[in-house]
């Protein structure tokens, strides 16, 4: 089951789709974006604009919004594990709207097929040829809702897309839009009706977070905002996908010194020595990239240990399997941060 999301060609901005709203969206984007970011300080300003736009919809979740922004800037993907109804879909859609990007939603179910995600070749009788019908994975922001309700074969349809930003069907490889980010939600309430995500797929998620329930004041504010039309429909673009591409490039150039890289490596080695399955080299790379993005959110052109320590719990914990067979590596990461010294 898919949500058609924003109209328009594959990878195109909604503003270019030719519908009646195109000109207004383009005008909003041009007004909001005062030129592409050129420095880490510009990236920080861009991230603040996006976060402020999202917070018009998502109440009291600034940390979660920043986790999403770090993930996007780090060229990664996000796994959100939580109970139904706390705003996971709204968060993903509002981020997509704020960057003027295309958005698609996939409701994972036990009968969902891999081709329902990646797309399929359909025979065209008029041309006597097969035409490729792209699946919902061809969007800037893809929400995989309750990803663990689908069997492993369907879950694995995202592996190539998440790792290489491309999809191969019937021997043909097609590039995905840039930027491309998967925000997947995982149902942790009904374990008897779900399939555990393969380790290889969990490892492809840069971060794993929980949103949690709002407090009393936040929930009252939510009820007030949702009394009429859903506020996500009123979110205006405050950036463009081009801005995000440029911001990603700047983040990739932020300096991570040899001392910082060695610190990250020692943290990863600690997890391997103190768990049945520790953080992989892919996890170490994700931690460096997330730390670069965290530095950019502070307007800095270099990574400091505080950035690594801020990102490690959400970047490394979900990759760790304890000797007892559990999936929560939070304690192992906490021990690593306490015991591994910064040199």
């Amino acid at each position: 089951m898919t949500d058609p999301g924003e109209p328009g060609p594959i990878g195109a901005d909604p503003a270019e789709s030719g519908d009646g709203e195109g000109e207004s969206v383009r005008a909003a984007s041009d007004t909001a974006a005062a030129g592409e970011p050129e420095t880490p300080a510009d990236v920080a300003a861009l991230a603040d604009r996006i976060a402020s736009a999202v917070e018009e919809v998502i109440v009291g979740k600034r940390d979660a919004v920043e986790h999403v922004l770090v993930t996007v800037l780090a060229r990664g993907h996000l796994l959100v594990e939580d109970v139904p109804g706390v705003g996971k879909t709204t968060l993903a859609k509002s981020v997509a709207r704020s960057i003027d990007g295309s958005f698609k939603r996939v409701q994972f179910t036990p009968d969902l097929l891999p081709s329902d995600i990646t797309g399929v070749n359909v025979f065209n009788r008029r041309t006597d040829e097969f035409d490729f019908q792209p699946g919902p994975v061809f969007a800037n922001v893809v929400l995989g809702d309750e990803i663990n309700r689908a069997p492993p074969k369907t879950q694995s349809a995202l592996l190539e897309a998440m790792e290489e930003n491309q999809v191969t069907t019937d021997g043909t490889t097609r590039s995905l839009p840039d930027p491309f980010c998967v925000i997947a939600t995982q149902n942790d309430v009904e374990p008897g009706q779900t399939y555990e995500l393969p380790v290889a797929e969990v490892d492809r998620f840069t971060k794993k977070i929980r949103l949690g329930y709002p407090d009393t004041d936040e929930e009252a504010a939510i009820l007030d905002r949702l009394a009429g039309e859903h506020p996500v429909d009123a979110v205006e673009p405050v950036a463009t996908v081009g801005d995000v591409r440029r911001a990603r490039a700047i983040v990739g150039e932020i300096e991570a010194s040899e001392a910082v890289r060695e610190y990250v490596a020692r943290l990863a080695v600690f997890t391997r020595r103190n768990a049945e399955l520790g953080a992989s080299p892919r996890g170490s790379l994700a931690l460096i990239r997330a730390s670069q993005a965290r530095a950019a959110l502070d307007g800095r052109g270099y990574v400091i240990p505080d950035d690594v320590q801020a990102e490690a719990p959400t970047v490394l914990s979900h990759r760790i399997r304890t000797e007892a067979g559990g999936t929560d590596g939070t304690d192992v990461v906490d021990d690593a941060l306490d015991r591994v010294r910064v040199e």
Side-chain angles (χ1 to χ4, degrees):
M1 299 173 61
T2 61
D3 182 345
E6 303 292 349
I10 298 174
D13 297 341
E16 298 173 352
S17 62
D19 57 50
E21 298 179 356
E23 291 300 325
S24 62
V25 172
R26 186 181 297 109
S29 300
D30 292 343
T31 301
E36 289 187 344
E38 299 293 340
T39 66
D42 294 337
V43 175
L46 172 70
D48 187 65
R49 290 204 308 271
I50 296 173
S52 297
V54 174
E55 284 189 303
E56 292 296 318
V57 180
I58 303 295
V59 179
K61 300 296 181 184
R62 179 74 181 202
D63 288 346
V65 174
E66 288 188 355
H67 283 307
V68 176
L69 294 176
V70 166
T71 302
V72 171
L73 293 174
R75 293 166 284 168
H77 310 283
L78 179 69
L79 180 61
V80 185
E81 183 177 76
D82 222 319
V83 297
V86 293
K88 301 183 291 291
T89 301
T90 301
L91 174 62
K93 193 168 186 177
S94 58
V95 169
R97 283 181 173 269
S98 66
I99 64 171
D100 201 14
S102 54
F103 172 83
K104 298 288 180 65
R105 176 180 178 272
V106 185
Q107 179 63 56
F108 280 74
T109 57
D111 61 346
L112 193 71
L113 300 175
S115 58
D116 293 330
I117 300 172
T118 59
V120 64
N121 285 312
V122 178
F123 185 71
N124 188 328
R125 293 187 177 182
R126 291 183 299 175
T127 62
D128 286 335
E129 295 180 349
F130 283 92
D131 294 336
F132 180 68
Q133 300 296 318
V137 76
F138 287 87
N140 295 121
V141 178
V142 178
L143 174 66
D145 208 359
E146 295 189 309
I147 188 173
N148 58 335
R149 283 199 181 277
K153 182 178 180 180
T154 301
Q155 295 171 3
S156 64
L158 288 172
L159 290 177
E160 181 186 15
M162 293 172 67
E163 183 69 14
E164 303 177 40
N165 282 22
Q166 65 183 29
V167 166
T168 301
T169 55
D170 294 336
T172 301
T173 299
R174 297 174 175 84
S175 297
L176 296 173
D178 182 18
F180 169 70
C181 178
V182 174
I183 300 178
T185 70
Q186 186 166 243
N187 186 319
D188 64 351
V189 178
E190 302 167 311
Q193 302 178 37
T194 59
Y195 301 85
E196 184 177 355
L197 291 180
V199 173
E201 184 158 3
V202 172
D203 200 38
R204 281 166 167 78
F205 285 101
T206 300
K207 298 167 76 73
K208 176 183 173 182
I209 66 170
R210 297 183 67 92
L211 294 183
Y213 286 117
D215 61 29
T216 303
D217 292 339
E218 291 168 351
E219 188 153 358
I222 292 171
L223 297 176
D224 178 62
R225 293 186 185 187
L226 296 181
E229 294 184 359
H230 201 297
V232 74
D233 296 328
V235 173
E236 293 289 343
V238 295
T240 67
V241 291
D243 293 334
V244 175
R245 283 194 291 266
R246 178 57 187 157
R248 282 178 156 188
I250 294 171
V251 167
E253 295 171 355
I254 287 178
E255 180 185 2
S257 66
E258 182 177 355
V260 167
R261 296 195 302 272
E262 289 181 353
Y263 178 48
V264 168
R266 290 199 304 274
L267 289 174
V269 169
F270 182 95
T271 67
R272 295 166 198 162
R273 291 175 176 172
N274 292 273
E276 183 177 4
L277 178 66
S280 67
R282 183 188 285 123
S284 300
L285 178 59
L287 182 52
I288 284 289
R289 289 177 173 174
S291 300
Q292 289 174 308
R294 178 62 62 177
L297 260 58
D298 288 339
R300 277 185 283 103
Y302 55 91
V303 176
I304 60 176
D306 286 352
D307 298 322
V308 176
Q309 292 162 0
E311 293 301 319
T314 55
V315 174
L316 298 183
S317 298
H318 64 287
R319 307 171 193 272
I320 297 170
R321 297 295 184 271
T322 63
E323 293 181 359
T327 58
D328 188 357
T330 303
D331 291 340
V332 177
V333 175
D334 289 343
D335 286 345
L337 293 175
D338 288 340
R339 298 169 60 181
V340 176
R341 299 182 60 184
V342 178
E343 297 179 357

